[in-house]
Amino acid sequence: MTQHTQRFTAKILNSPQAAGVILILASIIGVVFANSALANGYFAFLEAKFLNLSILHWINDALMAIFFLLVGLEVKRELLIGDLGTRQKRILPFAAAFAGVTLPALIYLYFNWNEPLTAPGWASPAATDIAFALGILALVGSRVPISLKIFLMALAVIDDLIVIVIIGLFYTQQLQIIYLFIALVVIAMLATLNLKNHQRSLPYLVLGLLLWWLILNSGIHATLAGVILAFTIPVSKPDKAHSQHDAEPLLLRWEHALSNWVSFLIIPIFGFANAGVSFGAFSYEQLFHPVVLGITLGLFVGKQLGIFATVFLMIKSGFAPKPHGATWLQLYGVSTLCGIGFTMSLFIGMLAFVEAEHQDLAKIGVFIGSILSAVIGFCILRFAPTKS
């Protein structure tokens, strides 16, 4: 690899926009495949079996467990040593995230309350896609103060944490107690390693793989193994360091090691595999289907209103300070960006709906709501005055 190529590769990997752009391209390719002469091969590949699981299940249950591992590491870091390290820093993004999950879910249920097959999709518009939202924010550049970028990151991390809890509570199959009991034993072993501040990766990797297999067979969604493992990884510095590299906490080492793999490989693969909806039988009437309306309006309307109204009330009532240097219009623009729910919304849609028809309708709603939120949010932030 030439020096020029190395510099170009490093620039791409360090670009905040790159991950979002690659995810968009991968998802577009998935849509193209699903609506071309390659459609049969595309869907056959995803349904092909490997070790008793389809390729799609390996992507959604195994690769996404690594994604959730990274999210869990980021959440733990932010809560203990990052931008959510104090109560004062947590209160505004926590309140905004809670409202930003609740109102979209209520809007969805308004359209699907009496529909037993579609009502379980209420959490689909509840999540914010961190990579997309931060990627769009990065496109605005220096017009947005750093305080808003920190606020968006904190809000999106808390949002993901809430959605992870929702998946664990509401999107599990019938529990297999024996697997769950053994999983609890493994979690206790991981917790013991954490209490001893053990800094070697191998024991965590071995126990983490075992935990994933046990949770996969327990009826709880296997991706939660990634979050549980993340919360057992030490954030404290090693007691003894043999080199400068060893002086870094294991959590930070794992986060740095996983970041590019998740952003530039795992999430694009997920987008390619799950965005592929066939529009061959698409009709104008589908835009008014309760699933499409619920998800679209939940993401585009529910997210921005829930978050911005909460932020406005919290700041005006004195419960939280206004992000430094941010205008109200910029805060509204960031609230709108939170309606980009691509990755997590698609993921929940796959869990919530049994019928393939409803899964496809959910994807349409996610596409429309996320695109509207991205475009409108970007325009607000791009043209909003930078001073009140």
Side-chain angles (χ1 to χ4, degrees):
M1 184 181 290
T2 66
Q3 190 175 13
H4 175 74
T5 304
Q6 289 177 333
R7 287 199 301 267
F8 178 76
T9 303
K11 185 177 180 180
I12 291 294
L13 294 178
N14 292 321
S15 169
Q17 301 101 317
V21 170
I22 292 174
L23 174 56
I24 292 171
L25 292 176
S27 303
I28 291 173
I29 292 171
V31 173
V32 171
F33 272 44
N35 292 275
S36 69
L38 300 172
N40 289 337
Y42 170 79
F43 289 112
F45 169 75
L46 294 177
E47 293 302 321
K49 295 288 185 178
F50 176 72
L51 297 178
N52 295 324
L53 289 176
S54 69
I55 298 297
L56 185 62
H57 274 101
W58 277 109
I59 293 169
N60 290 341
D61 289 349
L63 289 185
M64 287 302 285
I66 300 174
F67 166 75
F68 275 90
L69 169 60
L70 179 61
V71 170
L73 293 170
E74 292 173 342
V75 169
K76 183 175 181 179
R77 172 177 53 78
E78 292 293 339
L79 288 173
L80 296 182
I81 59 175
D83 294 315
L84 301 176
T86 65
R87 179 184 176 277
Q88 188 70 9
K89 292 179 179 179
R90 293 172 189 161
I91 186 169
L92 187 63
F94 256 105
F98 182 80
V101 168
T102 303
L103 186 55
L106 292 175
I107 289 175
Y108 180 89
L109 286 174
Y110 173 80
F111 291 99
N112 293 272
W113 184 257
N114 293 318
E115 300 293 336
L117 292 178
T118 60
W122 59 270
S124 293
T128 294
D129 190 296
I130 297 178
F132 262 152
L134 289 176
I136 297 296
L137 194 64
L139 293 175
V140 183
S142 59
R143 291 184 61 84
V144 176
I146 189 65
S147 63
L148 271 188
K149 296 176 183 178
I150 294 173
F151 171 72
L152 177 59
M153 171 62 84
L155 191 156
V157 166
I158 297 167
D159 182 293
D160 273 358
L161 181 60
I162 296 172
V163 171
I164 287 166
V165 173
I166 289 173
I167 291 173
L169 293 176
F170 297 99
Y171 295 103
T172 59
Q173 303 169 5
Q174 186 174 358
L175 295 180
Q176 301 294 324
I177 300 300
I178 183 64
Y179 287 105
L180 194 58
F181 175 77
I182 301 174
L184 291 174
V185 173
V186 172
I187 293 170
M189 295 170 67
L190 286 164
T192 301
L193 289 173
N194 179 279
L195 289 173
K196 293 182 176 181
N197 198 28
H198 189 85
Q199 296 282 334
R200 298 296 181 186
S201 293
L202 185 59
Y204 293 101
L205 288 172
V206 173
L207 291 173
L209 286 171
L210 177 58
L211 179 64
W212 175 83
W213 183 81
L214 290 167
I215 290 183
L216 176 69
N217 288 279
S218 72
I220 300 174
H221 202 271
T223 51
L224 295 183
V227 180
I228 295 170
L229 175 60
F231 274 81
T232 66
I233 304 301
V235 73
S236 302
K237 291 185 177 180
D239 299 324
K240 295 181 181 180
H242 300 289
S243 67
Q244 186 176 1
H245 174 74
D246 291 336
E248 190 175 42
L250 185 61
L251 183 143
L252 296 182
R253 280 185 271 152
W254 276 36
E255 189 177 344
H256 296 156
L258 289 172
S259 181
N260 285 337
W261 288 103
V262 169
S263 297
F264 296 101
L265 183 65
I266 291 175
I267 294 302
I269 288 175
F270 173 85
F272 171 77
N274 287 277
V277 55
S278 175
F279 293 101
F282 177 78
S283 64
Y284 177 74
E285 288 75 19
Q286 285 181 322
L287 295 177
F288 300 95
H289 190 281
V291 170
V292 177
L293 282 176
I295 294 177
T296 299
L297 295 178
L299 286 171
F300 181 58
V301 178
K303 274 289 185 182
Q304 59 174 282
L305 289 185
I307 292 171
F308 184 72
T310 301
V311 168
F312 183 83
L313 291 174
M314 293 286 289
I315 293 173
K316 286 295 186 181
S317 60
F319 281 103
K322 188 179 180 183
H324 179 71
T327 68
W328 285 112
L329 191 54
Q330 287 176 326
L331 276 167
Y332 179 65
V334 167
S335 301
T336 304
L337 284 186
C338 290
I340 305 173
F342 195 79
T343 305
M344 293 291 283
S345 293
L346 289 177
F347 183 69
I348 294 174
M350 296 296 293
L351 300 178
F353 299 112
V354 177
E355 301 289 337
E357 174 192 358
H358 294 148
Q359 291 179 357
D360 287 347
L361 289 169
K363 291 175 184 179
I364 294 171
V366 171
F367 290 160
I368 298 173
S370 297
I371 291 171
L372 286 174
S373 298
V375 172
I376 301 301
F378 171 80
C379 289
I380 292 172
L381 293 170
R382 175 63 181 82
F383 299 107
T386 56
K387 294 183 180 180
S388 301

